[in-house]
Amino acid sequence: MHGSSKGLVFAIYYPILATIGVPANLAVIVILARGKCGLSRCITYYLVSMAVTDLLVMTIAVILNRIAGIYFADSFLSITPLCSLRVCLNYTAIDSSVWLTVAFTFDRFMAICCQKLKINYCTERTAARVIGTVCILSCVKNAFWYFIYKPFYIINNIPWFCRIKVIFYTSPAWAAYEWIHRIVTPCLPFILILLLNILTVRHILAANKVRRRLRVHINGETQNDPEMEKRRNSIVLLFAISGSFILLYLTLLIHFLYVRIAKVNYFSGSNFSESNVILEEIGYMFQFLSSCINPFIYAGTQSQFRVELKKGVKYPISLIVKLFK
């Protein structure tokens, strides 16, 4: 992929992504916060927090970093302190979004597979504490990125753009930090979500088998089971969210492993013909797409969400119609 064609792809892809992702996540926040979708308060807390962090990813990573970098490269956002701050906020938003997905997956694992612990863990208070802890730790972890950059140029005593300091490549402490950063996101979340889903599926299959046998023994025939239908709807939402995360983060994980095994440079400049750079950029495109996909998952798997969404769409239309009558 040549540099010019790659730039054109970005110039088209990221504005479309932001145009869809920002209003979609805003709609999710408004609809779920009203609490009329038939979901428990605990699940609603996680889904709203995920939508908020996904909205931040759309705003910070896509609009302020990608789109601004393409269309407004020489704006005040490129002053070195603001450039460094954007990097910190970018990683913080992404980490929060990723680990809230892990937290939601773990909460559903506890609710489905650990009935004795479910009563104490799957509560509004626990959800609020977990969400707050994830966001605080993400801020603390990524604050260090602010200190690894220096200016490219200094014009009229104003530092412009961000360049990584040489010490980042030579210091064992920074090397360890970079390793921790890459492992914490996306490697560890990828493994945890995959493992939790496997354990959840295993438990569900075993529980459904036992329940089916019990119902046949009692009723003498198979009948529709409302409890199994309710459980099925719950796990469809879980697997759709975590499954999309696994698929969309897979490219970024492959790139991380490729870089470490092949021992190539992460920051390999602007030579877009290099396979590792192309793979990295495709990974980022999928990563940002993952912050746009959840609203469509909710609309596809939750009938009550669709009802509330239709009401939200019809309301301004009805107001406009009334104004012109």
Side-chain angles (χ1 to χ4, degrees):
M1 188 183 294
H2 297 292
S4 58
S5 61
K6 182 174 182 292
L8 180 61
V9 170
F10 286 170
I12 296 172
Y13 176 78
Y14 287 117
I16 292 175
L17 190 65
T19 302
I20 297 172
V22 170
N25 281 298
L26 279 172
V28 168
I29 294 169
V30 172
I31 292 172
L32 292 180
R34 296 180 66 195
K36 295 183 178 181
C37 292
L39 300 170
S40 69
R41 296 285 294 175
C42 178
I43 294 177
T44 300
Y45 274 29
Y46 282 112
L47 297 186
V48 170
S49 66
M50 289 161 62
V52 170
T53 53
D54 285 341
L55 179 62
L56 290 175
V57 171
M58 287 289 108
T59 305
I60 298 169
V62 176
I63 296 176
L64 294 182
N65 279 301
R66 295 289 170 151
I67 296 176
I70 294 170
Y71 292 99
F72 310 102
D74 297 325
S75 71
F76 71 97
L77 292 173
S78 296
I79 296 174
T80 303
L82 288 179
C83 178
S84 301
L85 180 61
R86 283 191 294 130
V87 172
C88 294
L89 294 176
N90 182 19
Y91 283 130
T92 299
I94 291 172
D95 275 14
S96 298
S97 176
V98 169
W99 279 98
L100 286 175
T101 304
V102 176
F104 171 71
T105 306
F106 183 74
D107 177 85
R108 292 301 86 200
F109 167 77
M110 295 289 286
I112 295 170
C113 303
C114 307
Q115 295 296 317
K116 292 182 179 179
L117 300 175
K118 171 185 174 181
I119 298 174
N120 293 325
Y121 184 82
C122 301
T123 64
E124 297 175 36
R125 179 177 294 183
T126 301
R129 288 176 177 175
V130 170
I131 292 166
T133 301
V134 167
C135 293
I136 291 171
L137 290 178
S138 295
C139 290
V140 172
K141 168 183 170 290
N142 292 291
F144 296 97
W145 286 106
Y146 186 87
F147 302 101
I148 73 168
Y149 293 101
K150 63 180 181 179
F152 255 109
Y153 313 105
I154 298 179
I155 303 174
N156 297 327
N157 293 324
I158 299 176
W160 288 92
F161 303 104
C162 287
R163 179 170 56 176
I164 296 174
K165 297 176 181 177
V166 176
I167 194 173
F168 182 79
Y169 301 104
T170 58
S171 168
W174 279 118
Y177 177 74
E178 202 262 345
W179 259 102
I180 292 171
H181 173 75
R182 299 296 175 180
I183 291 173
V184 168
T185 305
C187 296
L188 187 57
F190 189 94
I191 294 170
L192 287 175
I193 289 176
L194 191 61
L195 178 62
L196 289 170
N197 278 344
I198 291 173
L199 293 174
T200 303
V201 169
R202 182 181 175 184
H203 176 86
I204 289 170
L205 292 176
N208 286 351
K209 190 175 181 180
V210 172
R211 187 175 181 85
R212 194 177 296 111
R213 285 179 179 175
L214 182 61
R215 285 180 62 84
V216 170
H217 177 73
I218 295 173
N219 300 323
E221 57 181 359
T222 58
Q223 298 177 349
N224 291 331
D225 188 345
E227 179 61 29
M228 288 183 66
E229 288 295 329
K230 182 179 178 182
R231 187 182 300 174
R232 186 179 295 111
N233 292 333
S234 177
I235 63 175
V236 164
L237 176 63
L238 167 64
F239 292 158
I241 292 174
S242 55
S244 68
F245 172 87
I246 290 172
L247 290 175
L248 293 173
Y249 269 79
L250 183 60
T251 304
L252 208 60
L253 180 63
I254 291 173
H255 173 259
F256 170 78
L257 297 175
Y258 169 74
V259 164
R260 290 307 172 187
I261 294 172
K263 295 182 179 180
V264 296
N265 190 1
Y266 250 114
F267 311 96
S268 41
S270 58
N271 186 357
F272 296 124
S273 63
E274 294 183 12
S275 59
N276 65 302
V277 178
I278 295 172
L279 186 64
E280 180 182 25
E281 294 299 336
I282 292 174
Y284 287 136
M285 292 172 74
F286 285 148
Q287 180 188 52
F288 298 142
L289 179 61
S290 70
S291 292
C292 179
I293 207 76
N294 281 352
F296 299 95
I297 291 175
Y298 305 150
T301 60
Q302 302 296 305
S303 58
Q304 193 59 42
F305 181 88
R306 291 194 296 272
V307 171
E308 293 298 317
L309 181 61
K310 289 177 182 177
K311 288 181 181 178
V313 173
K314 289 178 180 179
Y315 182 71
I317 296 175
S318 63
L319 286 180
I320 294 172
V321 171
K322 288 179 181 180
L323 288 174
F324 284 95
K325 278 187 176 181

